Amino acid sequence: MSTADAWAVILAAGRGERLARTSGTRKQYLRHLGRPLFWHSARAFSRVAAVRGLVFVFPAQDLEAMRAEVEDLFAAEDLGLPWLAAAGGERRQDSVRLGIAALPRECGSVLVHDAARPFVSARVVLEVVRALEAGAKAAIPALKIKDTIKRVKNDLVCETPGREDLVAVQTPQGFKRDLLVRAHALAQEQGWEVTDDASLVERMGEPVLVVPGEEANVKITTPEDLARLNQARPAAPCVGLGYDAHRYGPGRPLVLGGIPIPNGPRVQAHSDGDVLLHALTDALLGCAGAGDIGLLFPDTDPAFEAMSSSIFVKEALARAQEAGLKIVHADLTVVAQTPKIAPWREQIAENVAGLLGLERGQVNVKATTEEGLGFTGEKKGLKAYALVTAVRERPAGDRA
Ligand code: CTP
Ligand code: MG
């Protein structure tokens, strides 16, 4: 038996009472990014080579249903580790005792983890594992306390312990297997009641090594923590690109970004021919995953004849919002040999910011020529690019 063969015991057998009171779901079964909380922890353990297997501990009455669910989860995403499911007990320490009783013979050390800490990282797991490999019999992740802590009775402060040597401990807590088994047997015998496993080992007089924990490794306990869980959805920005070109010729007076350009060349177009707002519409639709302007507003439809392109922008913006996106930036480029755009740049940017509900600083307007080259160089027409950046605020379809 080698300590390198660590198994994780993931505890999900609690009643989750504090959270169930408001959310209606027992917290260990809450889903985050489409997976139950305990699965997020399982993933973190699977990224550490020394972890050789997982024991999931579920409430006895849910055991069979949860075993089937874990099977489905592995079928969809194989974490490449053997696993077992065990029934937990009345108190957390009972669940740990029952969980470690299920461990296979070859397991040398145990990482006891609360499923209620779904943001645990492979780095924290590795810190604990390395401490055990280096000879510690017990190692726990902890963070220095930032707040001053006070002992309070009947709303009155009775003591302020010095902060320098206080830490807040997290899980996974790692132990040599034999020590943890002995500790829990002793706790049963002596009637010790504890809220973490290290406390048992401390009572036995064994040293417990502290390794760095992580701020993000929070325990989900209250409805406020649940709100944090929802905020934790990664806000990866999404970017939409739009491009459009129009031909100069007998037609409509030039409008760019909703601003009429006096004495500019005329453009041939079905709608108002605003090449910049058309590119912007496509960029918005790109973010929303909603196709392109021709799909929404076919130029064969007489209803869109001479229509102001700001209507297109507003419709595309609504699509992006329906997709759960918040637009945070637009960068627009007009490519034209003629007319000069610079005098209108400020007005265009302000108008576009207004259309998108953005601050002026969130919109940039650029203009360039193509040095006499190509169709813009020959003054046959102009083109425009738009790049829109959005962040996801909520799942698609969930209107604010
Ligand atoms: N736990 C367990 N068996 C128990 C009690 C708790 O496996 N009999 C687990 C919980 O599922 C959780 C972790 O231990 O992952 C930490 O416990 P806690 O945060 O207190 O969760 P609950 O006991 O489920 O919640 P509550 O105290 O609000 O009822
Ligand atoms: Mg509890």
Side-chain angles (χ1 to χ4, degrees):
M1 181 155 90
S2 135
T3 45
D5 289 339
W7 276 58
V9 173
I10 300 177
L11 297 172
R15 277 192 277 269
E17 275 167 351
R18 285 168 285 183
L19 204 118
R21 255 177 250 139
T22 49
S23 80
T25 307
R26 297 165 77 176
K27 70 179 171 193
Q28 64 269 48
Y29 301 145
L30 284 174
R31 297 178 90 82
H32 176 54
L33 300 174
R35 297 280 188 278
L37 290 196
F38 61 79
W39 191 252
H40 294 274
S41 302
R43 275 184 187 152
F45 285 109
S46 75
R47 293 192 198 113
V48 176
V51 177
R52 300 297 159 85
L54 307 170
V55 177
F56 297 98
V57 187
F58 295 119
Q61 72 274 17
D62 301 343
L63 184 60
E64 287 321 309
M66 293 313 296
R67 201 194 301 271
E69 169 144 19
V70 176
E71 264 163 28
D72 289 348
L73 287 162
F74 266 92
E77 181 186 348
D78 188 359
L79 298 183
L81 285 175
W83 63 276
L84 302 164
E90 184 56 29
R91 301 165 302 171
R92 182 187 182 278
Q93 68 191 78
D94 300 319
S95 296
V96 177
R97 193 184 65 252
L98 294 164
I100 57 182
L103 287 168
R105 251 173 44 83
E106 67 273 15
C107 158
S109 45
V110 189
L111 306 167
V112 182
H113 182 65
D114 291 341
R117 293 188 190 269
F119 305 122
V120 62
S121 68
R123 189 195 69 74
V124 173
V125 175
L126 200 59
E127 291 279 359
V128 175
V129 164
R130 287 213 176 118
L132 295 175
E133 284 174 354
K137 289 187 186 166
I140 62 173
L143 285 179
K144 286 216 157 32
I145 303 258
K146 288 189 197 140
D147 300 322
T148 296
I149 303 289
K150 293 191 189 288
R151 196 182 298 280
V152 176
K153 239 182 210 149
N154 300 327
D155 294 337
L156 283 175
V157 173
C158 27
E159 194 197 340
T160 305
R163 199 170 51 182
E164 323 70 55
D165 55 357
L166 285 180
V167 295
V169 309
Q170 309 182 330
T171 67
Q173 298 193 343
F175 306 91
K176 297 271 157 78
R177 181 205 188 149
D178 295 347
L179 177 63
L180 188 65
V181 169
R182 267 194 293 130
H184 276 277
L186 211 55
Q188 272 296 83
E189 219 178 274
Q190 306 285 329
W192 293 343
E193 292 251 2
V194 291
T195 51
D196 79 337
D197 303 279
S199 313
L200 299 178
V201 171
E202 290 155 40
R203 288 207 192 192
M204 293 168 74
E206 294 286 349
V208 175
L209 187 69
V210 171
V211 301
E214 228 162 38
E215 292 280 354
N217 187 16
V218 289
K219 187 161 90 168
I220 307 292
T221 304
T222 61
E224 292 73 45
D225 301 332
L226 184 61
R228 183 169 11 199
L229 181 73
N230 290 329
Q231 278 163 16
R233 188 179 295 125
C238 106
V239 173
L241 171 69
Y243 169 78
D244 197 22
H246 282 172
R247 184 193 288 274
Y248 290 146
R252 308 188 186 283
L254 183 61
V255 180
L256 279 177
I259 305 298
I261 310 292
N263 310 319
R266 294 190 154 245
V267 289
Q268 295 178 353
H270 181 69
S271 66
D272 67 357
D274 190 329
V275 73
L276 191 54
L277 290 193
H278 291 182
L280 178 60
T281 302
D282 263 356
L284 289 163
L285 294 173
C287 284
D292 62 24
I293 192 167
L295 205 68
L296 250 64
F297 310 104
D299 61 7
T300 48
D301 189 335
F304 304 128
E305 174 109 32
M307 184 182 264
S308 161
S309 296
S310 56
I311 309 275
F312 302 161
V313 171
K314 288 196 170 144
E315 180 59 30
L317 180 64
R319 297 292 173 110
Q321 285 164 347
E322 272 163 33
L325 298 174
K326 179 180 165 195
I327 306 303
V328 293
H329 193 259
D331 187 21
L332 311 173
T333 302
V334 179
V335 185
Q337 195 69 36
T338 182
K340 279 238 161 304
I341 311 297
W344 311 104
R345 189 204 311 258
E346 190 52 36
Q347 261 179 281
I348 292 172
E350 257 176 37
N351 189 53
V352 169
L355 283 174
L356 298 178
L358 296 179
E359 301 288 329
R360 167 66 186 85
Q362 293 171 290
V363 175
N364 186 56
V365 176
K366 312 196 282 301
T368 183
T369 71
E370 288 184 302
E371 300 288 338
L373 297 168
F375 74 85
T376 68
E378 290 169 28
K379 303 182 185 171
K380 287 184 178 162
L382 81 176
K383 56 190 176 188
Y385 299 92
L387 210 57
V388 166
T389 307
V391 290
R392 188 162 298 284
E393 277 199 310
R394 25 171 224 291
D398 247 22
R399 298 231 62 167

